[in-house]
Amino acid sequence: QVQLQESGPGLVKPSQTLSLTCTVNGDSITTNYYYWTWIRQPPGKGLEWIGYIDYNGATYYGPSLKSRSSISRDTSKNQFTLQLTSVTPEDTAVYYCAKWGFDSDGKRYDYWGQGTQVTVSS
């Protein structure tokens, strides 16, 4: 079974870059039709899709954060990363990485990491 683990600093200063890594075990991030995804949840708010990097390395971002987001991957380590620039306290959230895939009927399924708390504060 695939396992995903988020890692990175829990505290980030305003105006700095938030950098997180998702380590994937049990699946290759280059396997066809998998989408390696970042999602976050600010306190008291709903889930917000940040974006994904697909099995070919193509990236797609949600509209609200696309100007500040960058998702990349290291296939040799089977990891993908999130960088969010120019952070403010409003970027404080639990950040999740996830695998999205599709079954033979075209139905989406998700596997999520545990999430990691990131606090933006001076």
Side-chain angles (χ1 to χ4, degrees):
Q1 184 176 342
V2 64
Q3 293 180 313
L4 302 97
Q5 180 66 60
E6 303 90 346
S7 62
L11 295 172
V12 184
K13 299 287 188 181
S15 82
Q16 300 300 303
T17 297
L18 182 161
S19 297
L20 297 173
T21 297
C22 185
T23 300
V24 178
N25 291 305
D27 266 322
S28 171
I29 62 174
T30 64
T31 298
N32 284 354
Y33 312 128
Y34 294 162
Y35 301 80
W36 304 96
T37 304
W38 288 102
I39 311 99
R40 72 179 187 181
Q41 186 169 32
K45 298 184 178 181
L47 297 169
E48 180 180 21
W49 177 61
I50 300 170
Y52 66 75
I53 186 163
D54 75 8
Y55 49 94
N56 286 326
T59 54
Y60 300 86
Y61 302 98
S64 63
L65 296 173
K66 67 183 302 180
S67 66
R68 298 192 291 126
S69 300
S70 180
I71 299 173
S72 59
R73 66 180 185 174
D74 185 338
T75 58
S76 70
K77 297 180 179 179
N78 212 41
Q79 295 176 330
F80 64 105
T81 63
L82 170 69
Q83 293 194 93
L84 184 67
T85 62
S86 302
V87 299
T88 73
E90 286 68 47
D91 293 310
T92 294
V94 177
Y95 286 76
Y96 299 91
C97 60
K99 170 191 172 184
W100 290 354
F102 297 89
D103 65 19
S104 60
D105 294 320
K107 292 186 176 181
R108 176 177 288 178
Y109 61 89
D110 303 330
Y111 294 94
W112 292 53
Q114 295 291 314
T116 187
Q117 173 70 231
V118 179
T119 299
V120 179
S121 176
S122 61

